[in-house]
């Protein structure tokens, strides 16, 4: 490869261009920078031998770089890398030998191959020349800038060296002058120090001799603090030299003057019109005059007691709770803090025992007065009965608690913060109690409204209010009231309230206060209130409407299925307490609600059964069944029984589901033909009234009962319409049966019972879960009537059917 550029700069560019970056040029000559190397080439400081060495190293580095590139791109065969680098005929190898390479080419290649190699090598050389030129052109400005920078640095360092030399010369001159001055003044230094001490002593003596006059002048001008300051400075000296006549006279005059000043300060201190700042100044000066600290403490606190007591008397006037707290905090608490701060600034700087004595007196004083203040606050909080706007009370308590932080920090021994927190906690507990009572009163009011709606007289054209609507209104009203109360109580735990971060409001207030003391207690109260309606009629002078029992039973059942879980979940989400004390489980409350619903439903069935039973009992007891006429229609009381049971069916259907019935036979309404047929009655009872019939009819009846299914009249009622109606009908028919057993019947009386039972069978079977139950009870009624009949001659079934259809 030949060199195209003849000058040194071109030759340097050829050498440097073999590297990919300018920074790599430092590898050419170790320890020599690229800029320095270029400058050497440009200035002629590097000889051609160095250039030759650089060329050889450049050639070796190019071969090395080329070999590394081929190695990177995987152009070497695996396992032959080491051998190739040692090959002297490898152009890109480290140990390349041109002579051996040319000899090998001449031996192994033909003329055309040699020409091709030459053409390829020329092409590569031209490409390298072009790349070197581009590299020099691109980095030329950088080389020039580096050269200028080095030249400028040389100039700057030269100027700095000159300045440092001048500075060293000046320091040497200063040191020489300082040594001359010290040597000159060394002889007079002791004399000057002695004269300075004498001058200071004379000034002090002059101050002492002029002290009585100075004190009188200050007192005349009212500069009491300056007079006390002068006396405090000279007091120790006068006491030390009081044995000398001159100093003793000065001390006597000063003591007389300061005694008069002390009397004046005491008068100002006892003056009620003195401001707190004036009191502080008086106490400070009296302490400097060595007045007894304990007497000054007592007088200072006595003076402040009257002002604080006046604030307490002002609080006796009742007003808005927020205004009351503002007046107490702005008056009593503020003055107490000011008094404590002034007191501590005056007496805490004394010696240890005096400071402890003063602090103890302050603590006792503030505890005594704060007790009265806290009693007034609690008394006023107990008067806060209105539940309309709970935010007003919470704001007042928050402000009260915040203002107590200052005196708590000033006088930690008084326990302002602790006692204030206790008051806030008791106020919150009292508020929860009030809200519980309000919820109970609201529920009682809702029940009163429901009772009035059920008992209101029905105007013509106006229907009775639907139980479903009354239930929905009652449930929604109670739930909305609970949400309103929870929102009001939640203000106690708001983040912007100062006392909400107290342990009580983070734990016990949420779990035991709100959840247990308010919500759980209200749910139990609802169940307890509902159970009170199950008392025997007459114990309270009035009976409970059966419709109200039915409505409350459904309300408690809804509470058991969903409402209780919803309310407690809502409460737990709003009041995330950190208290781990045991709480009432949801399952326990649900069991209580279900038990209450069951009790109410049982009472409803009994009361409705009693109503129907009363009609049947009176209809049986008030009639002469022996002398009655031949039946021509169904008695009106039977129609009334069917109407009432139908009404109960409609009423119950508004609140409860249908329930499960047993499969009915296709002739359910005609079952009486087989049960009450004349042939069966005749076959059963005819032999009883003939001399040739020795068997007793009671025996036949008892044998039949042995094979009939036992009917439990007062069994547990299920929460569905069929079970409720079945219970009412069982009680009614059982009463009918017992009343029939106590009466004696004639022929027509038996036939009337036969007609009535057939009529009841036609309509009652559809209300019960099992129609055989109605059949069995009515069969027993007919059996008892026939047994009690003097002339048991039953009516034909066709006649009974005609009478019932006509009825």
């Amino acid at each position: 490869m030949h060199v195209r550029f003849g000058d040194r700069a071109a030759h340097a560019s050829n050498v440097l261009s073999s590297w990919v970056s300018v920074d790599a040029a430092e590898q050419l000559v170790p320890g020599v920078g690229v800029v320095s190397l270029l400058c050497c080439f440009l200035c002629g400081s590097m000889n051609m031998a160095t250039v030759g060495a650089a060329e050889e190293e450049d050639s070796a580095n190019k071969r090395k770089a080329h070999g590394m590139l081929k190695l990177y791109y995987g152009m070497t065969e695996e396992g032959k890398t080491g051998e190739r680098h040692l090959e002297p005929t490898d152009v890109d190898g480290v140990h390349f030998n041109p002579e051996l390479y040319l000899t090998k080419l001449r031996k192994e290649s033909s003329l055309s191959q040699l020409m091709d190699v030459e053409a390829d090598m020329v092409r590569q050389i031209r490409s390298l020349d072009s790349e070197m030129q581009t590299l020099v052109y691109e980095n030329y400005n950088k080389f020039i800038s580096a050269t200028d920078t080095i030249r400028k640095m040389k100039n700057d360092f030269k100027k700095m060296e000159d300045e440092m030399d001048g500075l060293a010369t000046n320091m040497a001159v200063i040191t020489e002058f300082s040594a001359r001055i010290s040597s000159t003044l060394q002889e007079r230094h002791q004399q000057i120090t002695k004269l300075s001490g004498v001058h200071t002593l004379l000034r002090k003596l002059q101050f002492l001799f002029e002290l009585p006059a100075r004190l009188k002048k200050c007192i005349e001008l009212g500069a009491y603090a300056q007079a006390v300051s002068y006396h405090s400075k000279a007091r120790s000296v006068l006491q030390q030299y009081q044995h000398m006549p001159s100093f003793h006279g000065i001390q006597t005059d000063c003591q007389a003057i300061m005694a008069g000043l002390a009397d004046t300060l005491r008068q100002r201190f006892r003056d009620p019109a003195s401001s707190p700042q004036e009191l502080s100044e008086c106490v400070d000066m009296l302490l400097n005059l060595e007045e007894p600290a304990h007497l000054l403490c007592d007088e200072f606190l006595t003076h402040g007691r009257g002002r604080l007591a006046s604030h307490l008397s002002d609080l006796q006037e009742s007003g808005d709770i927020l205004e009351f707290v503002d007046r107490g905090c702005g008056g009593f608490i503020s003055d107490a803090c000011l008094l404590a701060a002034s007191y501590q600034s005056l007496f805490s700087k004394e010696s240890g025992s005096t400071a402890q004595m003063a602090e103890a007196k302050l603590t006792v004083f503030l505890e005594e007065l704060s007790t009265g203040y806290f009693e007034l606050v609690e008394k006023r909080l107990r008067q806060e009965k209105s539940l309309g706007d709970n935010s007003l009370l919470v704001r007042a308590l928050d402000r009260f608690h915040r203002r107590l932080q200052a005196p708590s920090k000033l006088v930690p021994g008084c326990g302002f913060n602790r006692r204030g927190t206790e008051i806030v906690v008791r106020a919150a507990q009292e508020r929860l109690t009030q809200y519980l009572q309000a919820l109970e009163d609201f529920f009682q009011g809702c029940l009163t409204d429901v009772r009035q709606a059920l008992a209101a007289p029905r105007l013509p054209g106006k229907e009775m209010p639907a139980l479903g609507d009354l239930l929905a209104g009652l449930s929604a009203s109670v739930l909305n009231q609970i949400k309103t109360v929870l929102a009001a109580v939640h203000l106690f735990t708001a983040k912007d309230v100062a006392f909400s971060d107290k342990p009580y409001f983070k734990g016990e207030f949420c779990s035991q206060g709100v959840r247990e003391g308010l919500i759980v207690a209200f749910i139990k109260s609802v169940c307890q209130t509902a159970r009170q309606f199950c008392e025997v009629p007459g114990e309270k002078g009035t009976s409970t409407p059966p419709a109200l029992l039915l409505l409350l039973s459904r309300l408690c059942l809804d509470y058991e299925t969903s409402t209780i879980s919803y309310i407690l979940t809502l409460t737990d989400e709003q009041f995330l307490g950190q208290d781990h004390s045991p709480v009432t489980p949801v399952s326990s409350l649900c069991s209580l609600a279900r038990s209450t619903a069951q009790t109410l439903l049982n009472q409803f069935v009994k009361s409705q059964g009693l109503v129907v039973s009363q009609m049947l009992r009176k209809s049986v007891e008030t009639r002469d069944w022996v002398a009655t006429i031949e039946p021509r229609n169904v008695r009106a009381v039977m129609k009334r029984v069917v109407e009432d049971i139908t009404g109960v069916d409609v009423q119950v259907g508004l609140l409860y589901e249908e329930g499960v019935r047993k499969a009915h036979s296709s002739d359910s309404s005609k079952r009486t033909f087989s049960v009450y047929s004349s042939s069966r009655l005749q076959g059963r009872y005819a032999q009883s009234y003939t001399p040739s019939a020795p068997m007793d009819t009671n025996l036949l009846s008892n044998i039949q009962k042995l094979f009939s299914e036992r009917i439990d009249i007062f069994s547990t009622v299920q929460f569905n319409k069929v079970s409720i109606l079945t219970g009412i009908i069982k009680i009614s028919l059982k009463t009918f049966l017992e009343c029939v057993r106590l009466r004696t019947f004639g022929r027509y009386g038996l036939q009337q019972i036969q007609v009535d039972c057939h009529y009841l069978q036609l309509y009652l079977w559809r209300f019960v879960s099992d129609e055989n139950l109605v059949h069995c009870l009515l069969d027993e009624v007919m059996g008892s009537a026939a047994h009690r009949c003097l002339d048991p001659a039953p009516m034909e079934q066709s006649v009974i059917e005609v009478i019932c259809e006509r009825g």
Side-chain angles (χ1 to χ4, degrees):
M1 182 176 65
H2 62 281
V3 180
R4 290 191 177 188
F5 304 95
D7 55 357
R8 292 190 180 98
H11 191 69
S13 65
N14 289 334
V15 175
L16 295 175
S17 63
S18 64
W19 296 96
V20 179
S21 63
V22 179
D23 296 336
E26 294 182 359
Q27 299 179 6
L28 295 175
V29 182
V32 181
V34 62
V35 178
S36 301
L37 183 59
L38 178 60
C39 292
C40 291
F41 276 109
L42 294 175
C43 300
S45 60
M46 181 176 288
N47 53 28
M48 294 303 296
T50 307
V51 174
E55 286 182 352
E56 292 180 2
E57 188 171 357
D58 173 48
S59 179
N61 288 334
K62 285 195 297 182
R63 289 193 298 271
K64 182 179 180 180
H66 190 67
M68 292 176 67
L69 287 173
K70 295 187 69 175
L71 180 63
Y72 176 79
Y73 287 106
M75 297 176 64
T76 59
E77 297 181 3
E78 185 177 0
K80 297 182 179 181
T81 304
E83 296 178 1
R84 183 174 180 182
H85 283 298
L86 299 176
E87 180 66 36
T89 60
D90 184 10
V91 178
D92 298 323
V94 179
H95 302 282
F96 174 67
N97 191 332
E99 296 298 334
L100 293 177
Y101 178 71
L102 290 175
T103 302
K104 182 180 180 181
L105 281 178
R106 285 196 298 269
K107 290 181 178 181
E108 297 179 357
S109 303
S110 62
L111 180 60
S112 59
Q113 292 176 346
L114 288 174
M115 294 178 66
D116 293 338
V117 171
E118 181 186 10
D120 182 61
M121 191 168 295
V122 170
R123 180 180 55 79
Q124 293 182 10
I125 291 172
R126 289 176 180 174
S127 177
L128 290 174
D129 288 342
S130 176
E131 291 177 357
M132 285 189 291
Q133 291 179 20
T134 303
L135 180 63
V136 171
Y137 293 151
E138 288 179 351
N139 295 278
Y140 181 74
N141 292 332
K142 297 180 182 179
F143 294 152
I144 299 302
S145 176
T147 303
D148 295 340
T149 302
I150 292 173
R151 186 182 296 112
K152 187 177 180 181
M153 289 175 62
K154 287 182 178 180
N155 295 333
D156 292 342
F157 277 115
K158 185 176 181 180
K159 186 185 296 184
M160 189 180 297
E161 288 177 358
D162 296 339
E163 293 177 355
M164 291 297 295
D165 293 339
L167 180 60
T169 303
N170 293 334
M171 291 296 297
V173 173
I174 292 172
T175 302
E176 183 180 357
F177 276 108
S178 177
R180 290 178 183 178
I181 293 172
S182 297
S183 61
T184 303
L185 298 179
Q186 183 66 30
E187 298 176 357
R188 300 180 182 179
H189 180 69
Q190 296 179 355
Q191 297 178 1
I192 293 173
T193 304
K194 185 176 181 180
L195 291 175
S196 177
V198 172
H199 180 264
T200 303
L201 180 60
L202 291 175
R203 290 183 60 186
K204 291 181 178 180
L205 290 174
Q206 183 181 3
F207 174 78
L208 289 176
F209 286 120
E210 295 177 355
L211 182 59
R214 285 173 178 264
L215 295 177
K216 291 180 180 179
K217 188 67 174 178
C218 290
I219 293 174
E220 290 176 359
L221 296 176
Y224 301 144
Q226 188 67 32
V228 173
S229 177
Y230 287 156
H231 183 262
S232 298
K233 291 179 180 179
R235 182 167 50 201
S236 60
V237 178
L238 293 175
Q239 289 180 354
Q240 184 178 359
Y241 298 102
Q242 62 181 348
H243 59 279
M244 300 177 66
S246 57
F247 286 99
H248 182 72
I250 295 174
Q251 184 183 23
T252 303
D253 294 341
C254 291
Q255 288 178 350
I257 294 171
M258 299 312 293
L261 178 59
D263 293 337
T264 303
L265 292 176
R266 290 192 195 93
Q267 292 177 3
R268 290 182 59 183
F269 183 69
R270 296 187 180 96
D271 186 6
S274 298
S275 64
Q277 184 178 0
E278 293 176 347
L279 291 176
S280 299
E281 293 175 354
C282 291
V283 172
D284 190 19
M285 289 184 286
L286 289 172
L287 287 174
N288 288 329
L289 293 176
E290 297 183 344
E291 289 289 323
H294 66 279
L295 295 179
L296 292 177
C297 290
D298 294 338
E299 290 186 7
F300 187 88
L301 295 177
T302 302
H303 186 275
R305 182 186 297 274
R307 187 175 181 84
L308 294 178
S310 64
H311 288 304
L312 294 180
S313 62
D314 293 340
L315 289 177
Q316 299 289 343
E317 302 176 3
S318 61
D320 183 70
I321 182 63
L322 192 59
E323 179 185 354
F324 173 84
V325 171
D326 285 339
R327 199 184 322 152
C329 294
F332 179 83
I333 297 297
S334 297
D335 281 2
C337 291
L338 181 61
L339 183 142
S342 302
Y343 182 91
Q344 289 177 341
S345 65
L346 293 173
F347 299 105
S348 61
K349 60 186 179 182
E350 299 299 317
S351 60
S353 59
T354 304
Q356 293 178 359
M357 178 272 299
E359 189 69 21
K361 286 181 176 293
L362 178 62
T363 302
V364 173
F365 171 79
L366 290 179
E367 282 184 350
E368 181 181 350
L369 287 177
S370 63
T371 301
Y373 171 68
F374 289 139
E375 289 177 354
L376 288 176
V377 172
E378 286 199 89
K379 180 180 178 182
R380 181 61 185 82
L381 289 174
R382 285 193 294 268
Q383 296 175 2
E384 195 66 21
K385 301 293 185 180
S386 176
L387 301 177
D389 186 10
N390 193 50
S391 61
L392 192 66
L393 176 64
V394 175
R395 285 169 55 198
L397 292 175
D398 179 49
R399 193 167 301 177
F400 168 74
H401 186 269
R402 289 177 187 272
R403 294 299 296 271
L404 291 180
Q405 304 305 313
S408 297
K409 294 179 180 179
L410 283 173
V411 190
C414 285
F416 277 90
N417 194 12
R418 174 185 56 80
R419 297 166 71 183
T421 302
E422 292 176 355
I423 291 176
V424 173
V425 168
R426 284 194 291 269
Q429 293 172 347
E430 181 65 23
R431 203 62 165 178
L432 292 178
T433 303
Q434 293 175 1
Y435 274 120
L436 175 59
Q437 186 62 42
L439 285 175
E440 294 175 353
D441 294 341
F442 180 82
F443 182 67
Q444 291 286 359
C446 292
L447 292 182
T448 302
D449 295 339
V450 171
R451 295 189 70 170
Q452 290 177 354
L454 294 174
R458 302 291 167 259
L459 299 177
K462 186 176 180 181
E463 297 181 355
M464 177 181 178
L467 288 181
D469 297 337
L470 292 177
L471 175 63
L474 174 62
S475 181
S477 299
V478 173
L479 187 59
N480 290 333
Q481 189 67 15
I482 291 175
K483 291 181 179 179
T484 302
V485 169
L486 287 178
V489 174
H490 191 262
L491 296 175
F492 284 101
T493 60
K495 294 183 179 179
D496 57 344
V497 176
F499 55 78
S500 62
D501 60 346
K502 296 296 180 182
Y504 171 77
F505 288 97
K506 285 186 175 181
E508 186 178 351
F509 176 79
C510 297
S511 61
Q512 301 301 319
V514 178
R515 190 186 191 277
E516 296 296 314
L518 182 62
I519 301 302
V520 173
F522 175 67
I523 294 174
K524 291 180 179 179
S525 175
V526 169
C527 296
Q528 181 63 30
T529 302
R531 284 179 178 272
Q532 292 176 359
F533 291 102
C534 297
E535 296 177 355
V536 179
E539 290 186 1
K540 288 190 174 182
T542 58
S543 60
T544 303
L548 181 61
L549 295 174
L550 184 66
L551 186 144
L552 288 177
S553 68
R554 184 64 205 191
L555 177 68
C556 293
L557 186 63
D558 291 342
Y559 269 55
E560 185 263 339
T561 54
S562 61
T563 307
I564 290 177
S565 299
Y566 172 75
I567 293 175
L568 292 181
T569 301
L570 181 65
T571 304
D572 293 338
E573 289 176 354
Q574 293 186 11
F575 298 89
L576 298 175
Q578 301 176 359
D579 186 28
H580 300 289
S581 57
V583 295
T584 304
V586 178
S587 58
S588 176
L589 293 176
C590 291
S591 300
L592 176 62
R594 187 174 185 85
S595 173
T596 303
Q598 187 68 63
T599 303
L600 289 165
L601 195 59
N602 292 340
Q603 183 65 25
F604 170 77
V605 170
K606 291 179 182 178
S607 61
Q608 288 290 63
L610 180 62
V611 171
V612 178
S613 298
Q614 289 291 344
M615 290 189 296
L616 292 173
R617 184 176 64 83
K618 291 181 179 179
S619 68
V620 174
E621 292 178 351
T622 58
R623 190 180 183 91
D624 186 2
W625 294 98
V626 177
T628 186
I629 62 176
E630 184 179 0
R632 291 290 181 264
N633 51 26
V634 181
R635 288 189 299 152
V637 67
M638 297 301 166
K639 298 179 181 179
R640 178 67 183 276
V641 167
V642 173
E643 290 176 358
D644 286 358
I645 292 179
T646 304
V648 172
D649 178 75
V650 174
Q651 201 175 50
V652 174
L654 296 174
L655 300 180
Y656 284 98
E657 293 76 13
E658 182 70 22
V660 181
R661 301 175 185 269
K662 289 186 179 180
H664 294 159
S665 62
S666 59
D667 59 344
S668 297
S669 61
K670 299 180 180 180
R671 293 286 295 273
T672 51
F673 286 121
S674 61
V675 176
Y676 307 114
S677 61
S678 301
S679 60
R680 181 173 180 180
L681 287 175
Q682 290 173 358
R684 179 185 298 176
Y685 301 110
Q687 297 180 2
S688 301
Y689 297 97
T690 57
S692 61
M695 183 173 288
D696 188 4
T697 56
N698 286 331
L699 181 59
L700 292 174
S701 177
N702 292 331
I703 291 174
Q704 183 183 6
K705 290 181 181 180
L706 290 176
F707 294 97
S708 63
E709 184 179 356
R710 182 180 180 275
I711 299 174
D712 189 1
I713 303 299
F714 297 100
S715 60
T716 302
V717 182
Q718 303 298 323
F719 294 102
N720 58 73
K721 185 177 72 172
V722 172
S723 179
I724 294 172
L725 268 295
T726 301
I728 296 173
I729 291 174
K730 285 194 298 183
I731 294 175
S732 303
L733 295 183
K734 184 64 174 177
T735 303
F736 188 28
L737 172 62
E738 296 302 326
C739 292
V740 167
R741 285 177 175 172
L742 298 177
R743 305 294 294 177
T744 302
F745 297 89
R747 174 184 295 183
Y748 296 132
L750 175 62
Q751 293 177 0
Q752 184 64 58
I753 294 295
Q754 194 176 359
V755 171
D756 292 343
C757 289
H758 182 74
Y759 182 79
L760 293 177
Q761 171 61 31
L762 288 176
Y763 294 99
L764 296 186
W765 66 270
R766 68 194 66 191
F767 297 118
V768 297
S769 58
D770 186 4
E771 59 183 284
N772 291 326
L773 184 145
V774 177
H775 299 331
C776 293
L777 288 175
L778 291 178
D779 191 19
E780 289 189 20
V781 171
M782 277 305 305
S784 297
H787 178 69
R788 300 288 296 177
C789 182
L790 300 177
D791 184 13
M795 182 180 290
E796 293 293 334
Q797 187 65 32
S798 58
V799 179
I800 296 174
E801 191 172 20
V802 171
I803 293 175
C804 291
E805 290 177 356
R806 188 176 57 196

